Amino acid sequence: MAELAALEDPKARQVNERHGDDHGVNLGKLRALAKRLKTQQDLAGQLWQTGDTAARLLAILVCRPKAFERDELNVMLREARTPKVHDWLVNNVVKKNPHAEELRLAWSADPDPMVASAGWALTTERVARKPEGLDLAGLLDVIEAEMKDAPDRLQWAMNNCLAQIGIDHAEHRARAIDIGERLAVLKDYPTSPGCTSPYAPTWITETVRRRQDRQDGA
């Protein structure tokens, strides 16, 4: 904790707080510290229990993702209220855990939008990596009915899923683009030059085009 406190940078905190993250540790330095510590599950648990955002990010980097029980991850997700901790926990730990599918199903139906957004993030992962058994048309039905009025983080996660379905599944592409156009979610989102817009119709079309270009080049 003393070492983390020494890494505190007021400028980094200012930038992070604009995104809802209450810490001032440069993530490159945090990763370097984690690399030095290597995997330490017990230490990860102690760091998490501090409640400190930087400590929890470090905990995620030094933990053993497959070692957590389902109920532990459920509690941790509900405690992870800052965006970076939430995202890292889902992407770096839950996705690699054997209980990921059970948690996906439970979280997707949760009334807490932060928890539900984690369920949708796991669903997007399945759409991309293991779509067998998923009702893609049913997912599009839910997105069409609920995404427009969903809270920000949940809306973002549902939009990611919409785009992933459109990108990876040609038979649903036209409908995914149509839903995106009608709902117009993130249509005006500011996008840096060279980056793809998160607006689903643009995202789907651009990504599919790039894939086709690579195939044609190969």
Side-chain angles (χ1 to χ4, degrees):
M1 293 304 293
E3 195 162 345
L4 284 172
L7 292 175
E8 175 78 19
D9 177 352
K11 288 182 181 175
R13 178 173 284 275
Q14 201 173 16
V15 171
N16 290 332
E17 285 183 343
R18 285 205 295 270
H19 299 102
D21 292 309
D22 57 348
H23 75 95
V25 179
N26 175 284
L27 294 181
K29 291 180 179 177
L30 193 75
R31 288 189 178 95
L33 176 55
K35 192 173 180 181
R36 197 186 81 222
L37 291 169
K38 300 191 170 76
T39 301
Q40 296 192 47
Q41 183 69 7
D42 289 344
L43 175 61
Q46 292 173 319
L47 288 167
W48 185 271
Q49 290 304 323
T50 66
D52 178 79
T53 293
R56 285 185 163 178
L57 292 173
L58 183 59
I60 289 166
L61 293 175
V62 301
C63 77
R64 199 162 56 251
K66 293 179 180 176
F68 292 101
E69 295 299 328
R70 173 192 159 150
D71 290 347
E72 282 182 281
L73 291 175
N74 187 44
V75 170
M76 289 168 73
L77 184 84
R78 292 170 194 278
E79 293 174 342
R81 305 313 291 184
T82 62
K84 186 67 74 179
V85 173
H86 186 275
D87 289 345
W88 278 26
L89 181 65
V90 173
N91 290 310
N92 297 334
V93 181
V94 182
K95 285 181 180 178
K96 300 172 184 176
N97 184 274
H99 301 289
E101 179 61 13
E102 295 170 65
L103 290 168
R104 180 186 78 81
L105 293 169
W107 289 345
S108 295
D110 199 278
D112 183 333
M114 284 282 284
V115 176
S117 73
W120 279 95
L122 295 172
T123 298
T124 302
E125 174 86 350
R126 265 207 64 185
V127 168
R129 296 181 182 275
K130 194 182 175 185
E132 299 79 23
L134 281 179
D135 178 6
L136 298 177
L139 289 172
L140 290 175
D141 289 342
V142 176
I143 291 167
E144 187 171 20
E146 299 179 12
M147 182 171 75
K148 181 77 172 176
D149 299 316
D152 286 352
R153 282 187 68 79
L154 179 54
Q155 184 184 71
W156 186 272
M158 293 174 92
N159 184 71
N160 285 354
C161 191
L162 174 66
Q164 199 70 54
I165 291 171
I167 289 165
D168 287 343
H169 301 278
E171 69 276 21
H172 296 287
R173 188 169 297 148
R175 186 182 174 204
I177 290 172
D178 177 63
I179 290 170
E181 287 173 344
R182 282 187 289 106
L183 300 186
V185 167
L186 300 174
K187 186 172 184 178
D188 300 319
Y189 192 84
T191 306
S192 303
C195 295
T196 303
S197 168
Y199 174 53
T202 302
W203 186 358
I204 293 166
T205 304
E206 182 64 17
T207 305
V208 170
R209 182 190 65 76
R210 287 179 187 170
R211 283 187 182 178
Q212 191 60 50
D213 286 351
R214 283 201 297 272
Q215 287 173 3
D216 292 346

